[in-house]
């Protein structure tokens, strides 16, 4: 499986999906750029999510809040005092690690938050450094994961948001006052979040700058929250399947009761079998009225809801489905990557669900130096480009062009050949079956609207 990860990393760079960022300067601590096809894939995932959770839902509206919020918001949410991970340094090779991860890997114990216990195990049990193999650890200590910066006009530190959720709570009242939402309703947001992770890694799984797609779903504190919770969990699992992830590679992990925050009734992660093993893909948490109550307390503003049906004022409770976008990309890549042996040679084919494919249709003239074929193929590109992301390709032989499109997951290739000039038909070749059929140019738009 680790082999698969290495193949995906190399493929992603070669095929313009994901590049190591700042490479000409020697790189930049596990950061990545999405290349020309990668950005299409990522945008398609965002579109799919927005359609499913905003466009098709009467009870969810969108928001695009800022990355830099009033720093009081992070005091209220507890991020300034408590958004910490435990770190330890190897005194020999000077590498830094997550103390809780080292302890858990060596002993199976989850000692989150217990710094002294972690230090004792690290130092007394001689846990070896994963980098140099020696065992000489500093005491475990807390490290706040928020990135700090300064802003003209603001005294003190300003923070890059560590989750998109914050902005949603700050605009809860604006949405309530300016739209016709009624409880239960959700506010959805897609955007960047920043965490100064002690150890980033596993390609785009754990990044310091990443994107989240989050919903804060506001409910009546007296409602049957469990029904709403499981309804959301199922919707999250459905979305995972729409990314092409097989059901057998998904599992639920419920956080033990004693590890939950005091305000939470339940938290469940949806884990996916990444090439390095099952790990968190999405999360779902019952957050009670913690966030709205804290922001009300720190801002001095009432963040209540008046329920006309029951004539009650209350602070809504929140169910929060959260989705990592970069992890969705990595999961979709891992599930789609297939190596196939063919009668003649082999191929790498990305079997993305059609909705995710960066390019939907590739259009080829059989020969690049035959003007009639080239202009006919360009005409087809013009015909289809309004409705579909298309690519025109006239380099190399047709076999090579098919392989190139298979490798980026293009569902259909259209070839203009000499027969086209006679019968106004083209050859359409399908990615997975590699089957070919002749279709009239006049019917192309209809064919693709039906099949894509
Ligand atoms: N508002 C709740 C929240 O932020 P979280 O579990 O800390 O919850 C939500 O993060 C999702 O964001 C995770 O399920 C994961 O998909 C993604 N995520 C978290 N940290 C990440 C990181 N360092 N790199 C990439 N994705 C990350």
């Amino acid at each position: 499986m680790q082999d698969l990860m290495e193949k995906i990393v190399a493929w992603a760079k070669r095929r313009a999906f994901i590049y190591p960022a700042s490479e000409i300067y020697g790189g930049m601590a596990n950061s990545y750029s999405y290349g020309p096809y990668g950005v299409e894939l990522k945008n398609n995932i965002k579109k799919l999510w927005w359609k499913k959770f905003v466009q098709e839902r009467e009870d969810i509206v969108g928001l695009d809040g800022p990355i830099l919020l009033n720093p009081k918001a992070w005091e209220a949410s507890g991020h300034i005092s408590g958004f910490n991970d435990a770190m330890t340094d190897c005194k020999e090779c000077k590498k830094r690690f997550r103390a809780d991860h080292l302890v858990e890997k060596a002993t199976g114990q989850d000692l989150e938050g217990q710094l002294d216990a972690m230090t004792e195990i690290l130092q007394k049990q001689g846990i070896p450094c994963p980098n140099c193999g020696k065992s000489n650890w500093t005491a475990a200590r807390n490290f706040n994961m928020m990135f700090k910066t300064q802003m003209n006009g603001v005294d003190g530190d300003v923070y890059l948001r560590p989750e998109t959720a914050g902005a949603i709570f700050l605009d809860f009242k604006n949405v309530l006052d300016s739209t016709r939402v009624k409880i239960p309703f959700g506010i959805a947001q897609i955007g960047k979040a920043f965490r100064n992770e002690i150890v980033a890694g596993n390609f785009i799984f754990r990044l310091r700058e990443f994107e989240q797609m989050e919903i804060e779903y506001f409910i009546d504190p007296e409602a049957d929250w469990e029904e709403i919770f499981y309804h959301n969990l199922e919707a999250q699992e459905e979305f995972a399947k729409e990314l092409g992830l097989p059901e057998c590679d998904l599992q639920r992990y419920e956080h033990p009761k004693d590890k939950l925050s005091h305000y939470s009734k339940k938290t469940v992660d949806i884990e996916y079998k990444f090439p390095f093993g099952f790990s968190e893909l999405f999360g779902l948490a019952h957050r009670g009225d913690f966030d709205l109550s804290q922001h009300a307390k720190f801002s001095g503003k009432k963040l209540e809801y008046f329920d006309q049906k029951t004539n009650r004022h209350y602070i809504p409770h929140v169910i929060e489905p959260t989705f990592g976008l970069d992890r969705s990309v990595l999961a979709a890549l891992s599930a789609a990557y297939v190596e196939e042996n063919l009668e003649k040679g082999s191929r790498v084919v990305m079997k993305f669900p059609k909705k995710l494919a960066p390019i939907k249709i590739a259009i080829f003239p059989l020969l690049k130096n035959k003007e009639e074929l080239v202009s006919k193929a360009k005409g087809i590109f013009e015909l289809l480009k309004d409705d579909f992301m298309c690519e025109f390709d006239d380099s190399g032989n047709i076999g090579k062009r098919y392989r190139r499109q298979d490798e980026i997951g293009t569902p259909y290739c259209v070839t203009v050949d000499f027969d086209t000039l006679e019968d106004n038909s083209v050859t359409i070749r399908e990615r997975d079956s590699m089957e070919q059929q002749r279709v009239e140019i006049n019917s192309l738009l209809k064919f693709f609207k039906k099949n894509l």
Side-chain angles (χ1 to χ4, degrees), residues 43-80:
N43 284 342
N44 289 342
I45 294 177
K46 287 191 215 181
K47 271 189 251 164
L48 197 68
W49 188 87
W50 198 263
K51 182 162 182 289
K52 185 175 177 67
F53 293 105
V54 182
Q55 186 180 329
E56 291 176 5
R57 294 279 296 255
E58 278 183 61
D59 56 341
I60 302 186
V61 294
L63 182 80
D64 185 11
I67 284 170
L68 302 170
L69 299 178
N70 187 310
K72 268 196 193 159
W74 304 118
E75 246 180 85
S77 64
H79 281 87
I80 291 179

mmCIF file of all heavy atoms in Angstrom, residues 43-80:
data_model
loop_
_atom_site.group_PDB
_atom_site.id
_atom_site.type_symbol
_atom_site.label_atom_id
_atom_site.label_comp_id
_atom_site.label_asym_id
_atom_site.label_seq_id
_atom_site.Cartn_x
_atom_site.Cartn_y
_atom_site.Cartn_z
ATOM 1 N N ASN A 43 -11.854 21.524 -7.810
ATOM 2 C CA ASN A 43 -13.060 22.333 -8.046
ATOM 3 C C ASN A 43 -14.285 21.446 -8.261
ATOM 4 O O ASN A 43 -15.386 21.785 -7.825
ATOM 5 C CB ASN A 43 -12.878 23.256 -9.257
ATOM 6 C CG ASN A 43 -11.995 24.450 -8.924
ATOM 7 O OD1 ASN A 43 -11.803 24.764 -7.751
ATOM 8 N ND2 ASN A 43 -11.449 25.110 -9.924
ATOM 9 N N ASN A 44 -14.096 20.309 -8.944
ATOM 10 C CA ASN A 44 -15.238 19.417 -9.172
ATOM 11 C C ASN A 44 -15.742 18.828 -7.858
ATOM 12 O O ASN A 44 -16.946 18.639 -7.673
ATOM 13 C CB ASN A 44 -14.852 18.292 -10.140
ATOM 14 C CG ASN A 44 -14.673 18.816 -11.558
ATOM 15 O OD1 ASN A 44 -15.148 19.903 -11.879
ATOM 16 N ND2 ASN A 44 -13.989 18.060 -12.397
ATOM 17 N N ILE A 45 -14.824 18.559 -6.929
ATOM 18 C CA ILE A 45 -15.241 18.043 -5.610
ATOM 19 C C ILE A 45 -16.017 19.132 -4.858
ATOM 20 O O ILE A 45 -17.063 18.874 -4.264
ATOM 21 C CB ILE A 45 -14.025 17.534 -4.802
ATOM 22 C CG1 ILE A 45 -13.423 16.304 -5.493
ATOM 23 C CG2 ILE A 45 -14.426 17.208 -3.362
ATOM 24 C CD1 ILE A 45 -12.171 15.749 -4.848
ATOM 25 N N LYS A 46 -15.502 20.362 -4.939
ATOM 26 C CA LYS A 46 -16.210 21.468 -4.272
ATOM 27 C C LYS A 46 -17.607 21.640 -4.857
ATOM 28 O O LYS A 46 -18.578 21.843 -4.129
ATOM 29 C CB LYS A 46 -15.455 22.792 -4.465
ATOM 30 C CG LYS A 46 -14.183 22.918 -3.667
ATOM 31 C CD LYS A 46 -13.710 24.372 -3.739
ATOM 32 C CE LYS A 46 -12.228 24.476 -3.775
ATOM 33 N NZ LYS A 46 -11.723 25.821 -3.813
ATOM 34 N N LYS A 47 -17.705 21.556 -6.205
ATOM 35 C CA LYS A 47 -19.008 21.757 -6.871
ATOM 36 C C LYS A 47 -19.993 20.666 -6.454
ATOM 37 O O LYS A 47 -21.159 20.934 -6.180
ATOM 38 C CB LYS A 47 -18.831 21.720 -8.394
ATOM 39 C CG LYS A 47 -18.523 23.074 -8.996
ATOM 40 C CD LYS A 47 -18.572 22.993 -10.528
ATOM 41 C CE LYS A 47 -17.177 23.111 -11.089
ATOM 42 N NZ LYS A 47 -17.010 22.704 -12.467
ATOM 43 N N LEU A 48 -19.467 19.437 -6.405
ATOM 44 C CA LEU A 48 -20.317 18.296 -6.032
ATOM 45 C C LEU A 48 -20.848 18.488 -4.614
ATOM 46 O O LEU A 48 -22.018 18.258 -4.314
ATOM 47 C CB LEU A 48 -19.457 17.024 -6.106
ATOM 48 C CG LEU A 48 -20.143 15.682 -6.146
ATOM 49 C CD1 LEU A 48 -20.884 15.537 -7.463
ATOM 50 C CD2 LEU A 48 -19.105 14.554 -6.029
ATOM 51 N N TRP A 49 -19.967 18.935 -3.723
ATOM 52 C CA TRP A 49 -20.318 19.141 -2.315
ATOM 53 C C TRP A 49 -21.352 20.262 -2.180
ATOM 54 O O TRP A 49 -22.362 20.137 -1.498
ATOM 55 C CB TRP A 49 -19.047 19.474 -1.524
ATOM 56 C CG TRP A 49 -19.238 19.534 -0.045
ATOM 57 C CD1 TRP A 49 -19.163 18.490 0.830
ATOM 58 C CD2 TRP A 49 -19.533 20.705 0.752
ATOM 59 N NE1 TRP A 49 -19.384 18.932 2.108
ATOM 60 C CE2 TRP A 49 -19.619 20.286 2.091
ATOM 61 C CE3 TRP A 49 -19.719 22.050 0.459
ATOM 62 C CZ2 TRP A 49 -19.890 21.163 3.141
ATOM 63 C CZ3 TRP A 49 -19.992 22.928 1.499
ATOM 64 C CH2 TRP A 49 -20.083 22.482 2.822
ATOM 65 N N TRP A 50 -21.083 21.380 -2.880
ATOM 66 C CA TRP A 50 -21.976 22.544 -2.774
ATOM 67 C C TRP A 50 -23.357 22.193 -3.318
ATOM 68 O O TRP A 50 -24.373 22.594 -2.768
ATOM 69 C CB TRP A 50 -21.365 23.726 -3.543
ATOM 70 C CG TRP A 50 -21.947 25.044 -3.163
ATOM 71 C CD1 TRP A 50 -22.939 25.721 -3.813
ATOM 72 C CD2 TRP A 50 -21.590 25.852 -2.022
ATOM 73 N NE1 TRP A 50 -23.215 26.905 -3.149
ATOM 74 C CE2 TRP A 50 -22.401 27.007 -2.057
ATOM 75 C CE3 TRP A 50 -20.656 25.715 -0.992
ATOM 76 C CZ2 TRP A 50 -22.316 28.022 -1.092
ATOM 77 C CZ3 TRP A 50 -20.571 26.718 -0.038
ATOM 78 C CH2 TRP A 50 -21.395 27.849 -0.086
ATOM 79 N N LYS A 51 -23.370 21.400 -4.398
ATOM 80 C CA LYS A 51 -24.661 21.021 -5.007
ATOM 81 C C LYS A 51 -25.433 20.143 -4.028
ATOM 82 O O LYS A 51 -26.613 20.370 -3.769
ATOM 83 C CB LYS A 51 -24.402 20.270 -6.318
ATOM 84 C CG LYS A 51 -25.651 19.884 -7.058
ATOM 85 C CD LYS A 51 -25.321 19.562 -8.511
ATOM 86 C CE LYS A 51 -26.585 19.217 -9.298
ATOM 87 N NZ LYS A 51 -27.145 17.942 -8.931
ATOM 88 N N LYS A 52 -24.727 19.173 -3.452
ATOM 89 C CA LYS A 52 -25.404 18.219 -2.562
ATOM 90 C C LYS A 52 -25.863 18.870 -1.257
ATOM 91 O O LYS A 52 -26.944 18.581 -0.761
ATOM 92 C CB LYS A 52 -24.446 17.050 -2.263
ATOM 93 C CG LYS A 52 -25.065 15.933 -1.449
ATOM 94 C CD LYS A 52 -24.088 14.773 -1.321
ATOM 95 C CE LYS A 52 -24.643 13.662 -0.462
ATOM 96 N NZ LYS A 52 -25.789 12.987 -1.065
ATOM 97 N N PHE A 53 -25.016 19.734 -0.703
ATOM 98 C CA PHE A 53 -25.307 20.239 0.647
ATOM 99 C C PHE A 53 -25.868 21.658 0.695
ATOM 100 O O PHE A 53 -26.310 22.088 1.752
ATOM 101 C CB PHE A 53 -24.062 20.133 1.533
ATOM 102 C CG PHE A 53 -23.667 18.710 1.818
ATOM 103 C CD1 PHE A 53 -22.577 18.125 1.187
ATOM 104 C CD2 PHE A 53 -24.412 17.930 2.692
ATOM 105 C CE1 PHE A 53 -22.226 16.803 1.431
ATOM 106 C CE2 PHE A 53 -24.078 16.613 2.944
ATOM 107 C CZ PHE A 53 -22.984 16.039 2.306
ATOM 108 N N VAL A 54 -25.823 22.390 -0.441
ATOM 109 C CA VAL A 54 -26.426 23.733 -0.431
ATOM 110 C C VAL A 54 -27.533 23.821 -1.490
ATOM 111 O O VAL A 54 -28.700 23.990 -1.150
ATOM 112 C CB VAL A 54 -25.365 24.844 -0.649
ATOM 113 C CG1 VAL A 54 -26.019 26.221 -0.580
ATOM 114 C CG2 VAL A 54 -24.247 24.741 0.391
ATOM 115 N N GLN A 55 -27.149 23.621 -2.750
ATOM 116 C CA GLN A 55 -28.126 23.809 -3.837
ATOM 117 C C GLN A 55 -29.357 22.908 -3.693
ATOM 118 O O GLN A 55 -30.479 23.344 -3.895
ATOM 119 C CB GLN A 55 -27.423 23.521 -5.173
ATOM 120 C CG GLN A 55 -28.283 23.813 -6.379
ATOM 121 C CD GLN A 55 -27.541 23.520 -7.677
ATOM 122 O OE1 GLN A 55 -26.328 23.653 -7.753
ATOM 123 N NE2 GLN A 55 -28.273 23.130 -8.698
ATOM 124 N N GLU A 56 -29.125 21.642 -3.332
ATOM 125 C CA GLU A 56 -30.259 20.705 -3.282
ATOM 126 C C GLU A 56 -30.958 20.683 -1.925
ATOM 127 O O GLU A 56 -31.861 19.890 -1.701
ATOM 128 C CB GLU A 56 -29.772 19.280 -3.626
ATOM 129 C CG GLU A 56 -29.356 19.146 -5.081
ATOM 130 C CD GLU A 56 -28.772 17.784 -5.415
ATOM 131 O OE1 GLU A 56 -28.772 16.892 -4.537
ATOM 132 O OE2 GLU A 56 -28.311 17.620 -6.553
ATOM 133 N N ARG A 57 -30.513 21.531 -0.996
ATOM 134 C CA ARG A 57 -31.100 21.512 0.345
ATOM 135 C C ARG A 57 -31.864 22.813 0.589
ATOM 136 O O ARG A 57 -31.320 23.904 0.443
ATOM 137 C CB ARG A 57 -29.976 21.369 1.387
ATOM 138 C CG ARG A 57 -29.237 20.045 1.321
ATOM 139 C CD ARG A 57 -29.997 18.948 2.023
ATOM 140 N NE ARG A 57 -30.122 19.202 3.447
ATOM 141 C CZ ARG A 57 -29.419 18.572 4.395
ATOM 142 N NH1 ARG A 57 -28.549 17.638 4.068
ATOM 143 N NH2 ARG A 57 -29.613 18.851 5.671
ATOM 144 N N GLU A 58 -33.091 22.675 1.006
ATOM 145 C CA GLU A 58 -33.864 23.879 1.326
ATOM 146 C C GLU A 58 -33.426 24.459 2.663
ATOM 147 O O GLU A 58 -33.720 25.602 2.978
ATOM 148 C CB GLU A 58 -35.340 23.514 1.444
ATOM 149 C CG GLU A 58 -36.053 23.432 0.124
ATOM 150 C CD GLU A 58 -37.517 23.141 0.335
ATOM 151 O OE1 GLU A 58 -38.183 23.962 0.973
ATOM 152 O OE2 GLU A 58 -37.961 22.069 -0.105
ATOM 153 N N ASP A 59 -32.783 23.616 3.485
ATOM 154 C CA ASP A 59 -32.498 24.027 4.861
ATOM 155 C C ASP A 59 -31.034 24.422 5.081
ATOM 156 O O ASP A 59 -30.611 24.577 6.230
ATOM 157 C CB ASP A 59 -32.870 22.877 5.819
ATOM 158 C CG ASP A 59 -32.148 21.592 5.471
ATOM 159 O OD1 ASP A 59 -31.667 21.463 4.320
ATOM 160 O OD2 ASP A 59 -32.032 20.706 6.338
ATOM 161 N N ILE A 60 -30.248 24.560 3.998
ATOM 162 C CA ILE A 60 -28.843 24.965 4.190
ATOM 163 C C ILE A 60 -28.518 26.115 3.242
ATOM 164 O O ILE A 60 -28.856 26.076 2.061
ATOM 165 C CB ILE A 60 -27.866 23.778 3.969
ATOM 166 C CG1 ILE A 60 -28.209 22.615 4.926
ATOM 167 C CG2 ILE A 60 -26.418 24.217 4.170
ATOM 168 C CD1 ILE A 60 -27.248 21.455 4.911
ATOM 169 N N VAL A 61 -27.853 27.159 3.797
ATOM 170 C CA VAL A 61 -27.436 28.299 2.976
ATOM 171 C C VAL A 61 -25.912 28.427 3.059
ATOM 172 O O VAL A 61 -25.286 27.879 3.965
ATOM 173 C CB VAL A 61 -28.087 29.625 3.462
ATOM 174 C CG1 VAL A 61 -29.584 29.596 3.253
ATOM 175 C CG2 VAL A 61 -27.754 29.910 4.930
ATOM 176 N N GLY A 62 -25.337 29.155 2.104
ATOM 177 C CA GLY A 62 -23.874 29.270 2.040
ATOM 178 C C GLY A 62 -23.350 30.542 2.676
ATOM 179 O O GLY A 62 -24.100 31.476 2.971
ATOM 180 N N LEU A 63 -22.033 30.555 2.877
ATOM 181 C CA LEU A 63 -21.354 31.733 3.431
ATOM 182 C C LEU A 63 -19.900 31.682 2.957
ATOM 183 O O LEU A 63 -19.369 30.592 2.717
ATOM 184 C CB LEU A 63 -21.396 31.677 4.969
ATOM 185 C CG LEU A 63 -20.787 32.851 5.713
ATOM 186 C CD1 LEU A 63 -21.776 34.020 5.754
ATOM 187 C CD2 LEU A 63 -20.417 32.487 7.161
ATOM 188 N N ASP A 64 -19.290 32.863 2.812
ATOM 189 C CA ASP A 64 -17.849 32.897 2.544
ATOM 190 C C ASP A 64 -17.246 33.948 3.463
ATOM 191 O O ASP A 64 -17.191 35.122 3.121
ATOM 192 C CB ASP A 64 -17.606 33.216 1.061
ATOM 193 C CG ASP A 64 -16.133 33.133 0.699
ATOM 194 O OD1 ASP A 64 -15.341 32.624 1.526
ATOM 195 O OD2 ASP A 64 -15.764 33.579 -0.397
ATOM 196 N N GLY A 65 -16.861 33.533 4.644
ATOM 197 C CA GLY A 65 -16.329 34.452 5.661
ATOM 198 C C GLY A 65 -14.820 34.614 5.523
ATOM 199 O O GLY A 65 -14.170 33.865 4.788
ATOM 200 N N PRO A 66 -14.256 35.586 6.246
ATOM 201 C CA PRO A 66 -12.813 35.851 6.121
ATOM 202 C C PRO A 66 -11.930 34.862 6.878
ATOM 203 O O PRO A 66 -12.369 34.208 7.822
ATOM 204 C CB PRO A 66 -12.662 37.253 6.708
ATOM 205 C CG PRO A 66 -13.812 37.427 7.614
ATOM 206 C CD PRO A 66 -14.917 36.527 7.162
ATOM 207 N N ILE A 67 -10.676 34.818 6.442
ATOM 208 C CA ILE A 67 -9.668 33.983 7.131
ATOM 209 C C ILE A 67 -9.232 34.671 8.424
ATOM 210 O O ILE A 67 -8.978 34.020 9.428
ATOM 211 C CB ILE A 67 -8.479 33.741 6.179
ATOM 212 C CG1 ILE A 67 -8.883 32.692 5.133
ATOM 213 C CG2 ILE A 67 -7.218 33.316 6.937
ATOM 214 C CD1 ILE A 67 -7.929 32.519 3.985
ATOM 215 N N LEU A 68 -9.159 36.004 8.382
ATOM 216 C CA LEU A 68 -8.724 36.753 9.572
ATOM 217 C C LEU A 68 -9.953 37.297 10.301
ATOM 218 O O LEU A 68 -10.662 38.152 9.776
ATOM 219 C CB LEU A 68 -7.823 37.920 9.153
ATOM 220 C CG LEU A 68 -6.569 37.526 8.365
ATOM 221 C CD1 LEU A 68 -5.884 38.755 7.794
ATOM 222 C CD2 LEU A 68 -5.596 36.745 9.236
ATOM 223 N N LEU A 69 -10.209 36.759 11.483
ATOM 224 C CA LEU A 69 -11.353 37.210 12.283
ATOM 225 C C LEU A 69 -10.845 38.045 13.450
ATOM 226 O O LEU A 69 -9.663 37.956 13.815
ATOM 227 C CB LEU A 69 -12.118 36.014 12.838
ATOM 228 C CG LEU A 69 -12.743 35.039 11.830
ATOM 229 C CD1 LEU A 69 -13.411 33.882 12.569
ATOM 230 C CD2 LEU A 69 -13.750 35.740 10.944
ATOM 231 N N ASN A 70 -11.742 38.779 14.080
ATOM 232 C CA ASN A 70 -11.372 39.490 15.309
ATOM 233 C C ASN A 70 -10.779 38.463 16.296
ATOM 234 O O ASN A 70 -11.405 37.434 16.565
ATOM 235 C CB ASN A 70 -12.634 40.131 15.896
ATOM 236 C CG ASN A 70 -12.303 41.029 17.066
ATOM 237 O OD1 ASN A 70 -11.574 40.607 17.977
ATOM 238 N ND2 ASN A 70 -12.805 42.243 17.050
ATOM 239 N N PRO A 71 -9.558 38.717 16.814
ATOM 240 C CA PRO A 71 -8.890 37.714 17.653
ATOM 241 C C PRO A 71 -9.702 37.283 18.881
ATOM 242 O O PRO A 71 -9.492 36.186 19.409
ATOM 243 C CB PRO A 71 -7.583 38.383 18.084
ATOM 244 C CG PRO A 71 -7.473 39.638 17.323
ATOM 245 C CD PRO A 71 -8.746 39.912 16.591
ATOM 246 N N LYS A 72 -10.651 38.126 19.303
ATOM 247 C CA LYS A 72 -11.490 37.738 20.453
ATOM 248 C C LYS A 72 -12.266 36.455 20.146
ATOM 249 O O LYS A 72 -12.618 35.692 21.049
ATOM 250 C CB LYS A 72 -12.498 38.855 20.758
ATOM 251 C CG LYS A 72 -12.008 39.843 21.756
ATOM 252 C CD LYS A 72 -13.193 40.632 22.256
ATOM 253 C CE LYS A 72 -12.743 41.854 23.022
ATOM 254 N NZ LYS A 72 -13.785 42.861 23.077
ATOM 255 N N ALA A 73 -12.558 36.252 18.842
ATOM 256 C CA ALA A 73 -13.320 35.061 18.447
ATOM 257 C C ALA A 73 -12.569 33.795 18.856
ATOM 258 O O ALA A 73 -13.167 32.795 19.273
ATOM 259 C CB ALA A 73 -13.564 35.063 16.941
ATOM 260 N N TRP A 74 -11.236 33.836 18.752
ATOM 261 C CA TRP A 74 -10.432 32.631 19.067
ATOM 262 C C TRP A 74 -10.217 32.473 20.567
ATOM 263 O O TRP A 74 -9.909 31.392 21.037
ATOM 264 C CB TRP A 74 -9.106 32.662 18.307
ATOM 265 C CG TRP A 74 -9.332 32.805 16.834
ATOM 266 C CD1 TRP A 74 -8.918 33.840 16.046
ATOM 267 C CD2 TRP A 74 -10.065 31.903 15.981
ATOM 268 N NE1 TRP A 74 -9.342 33.642 14.754
ATOM 269 C CE2 TRP A 74 -10.043 32.470 14.687
ATOM 270 C CE3 TRP A 74 -10.723 30.698 16.178
ATOM 271 C CZ2 TRP A 74 -10.658 31.862 13.591
ATOM 272 C CZ3 TRP A 74 -11.346 30.094 15.088
ATOM 273 C CH2 TRP A 74 -11.321 30.664 13.818
ATOM 274 N N GLU A 75 -10.374 33.609 21.273
ATOM 275 C CA GLU A 75 -10.375 33.506 22.747
ATOM 276 C C GLU A 75 -11.657 32.801 23.168
ATOM 277 O O GLU A 75 -11.648 31.866 23.970
ATOM 278 C CB GLU A 75 -10.398 34.910 23.335
ATOM 279 C CG GLU A 75 -9.164 35.309 24.099
ATOM 280 C CD GLU A 75 -9.356 36.730 24.612
ATOM 281 O OE1 GLU A 75 -9.951 36.900 25.683
ATOM 282 O OE2 GLU A 75 -8.912 37.661 23.898
ATOM 283 N N ALA A 76 -12.761 33.268 22.585
ATOM 284 C CA ALA A 76 -14.074 32.712 22.943
ATOM 285 C C ALA A 76 -14.159 31.222 22.604
ATOM 286 O O ALA A 76 -14.699 30.431 23.369
ATOM 287 C CB ALA A 76 -15.170 33.478 22.205
ATOM 288 N N SER A 77 -13.625 30.849 21.461
ATOM 289 C CA SER A 77 -13.768 29.452 21.023
ATOM 290 C C SER A 77 -12.818 28.517 21.776
ATOM 291 O O SER A 77 -12.923 27.295 21.649
ATOM 292 C CB SER A 77 -13.488 29.345 19.530
ATOM 293 O OG SER A 77 -12.131 29.693 19.289
ATOM 294 N N GLY A 78 -11.869 29.119 22.515
ATOM 295 C CA GLY A 78 -10.925 28.304 23.291
ATOM 296 C C GLY A 78 -9.685 27.924 22.493
ATOM 297 O O GLY A 78 -8.810 27.205 22.988
ATOM 298 N N HIS A 79 -9.571 28.438 21.256
ATOM 299 C CA HIS A 79 -8.406 28.046 20.455
ATOM 300 C C HIS A 79 -7.102 28.644 20.992
ATOM 301 O O HIS A 79 -6.061 28.022 20.917
ATOM 302 C CB HIS A 79 -8.598 28.463 18.991
ATOM 303 C CG HIS A 79 -9.491 27.529 18.235
ATOM 304 N ND1 HIS A 79 -10.854 27.654 18.212
ATOM 305 C CD2 HIS A 79 -9.205 26.427 17.501
ATOM 306 C CE1 HIS A 79 -11.363 26.681 17.477
ATOM 307 N NE2 HIS A 79 -10.396 25.920 17.037
ATOM 308 N N ILE A 80 -7.178 29.880 21.526
ATOM 309 C CA ILE A 80 -5.922 30.491 22.004
ATOM 310 C C ILE A 80 -5.382 29.717 23.200
ATOM 311 O O ILE A 80 -4.189 29.432 23.298
ATOM 312 C CB ILE A 80 -6.125 31.992 22.331
ATOM 313 C CG1 ILE A 80 -6.370 32.750 21.017
ATOM 314 C CG2 ILE A 80 -4.921 32.563 23.081
ATOM 315 C CD1 ILE A 80 -6.602 34.234 21.149
#
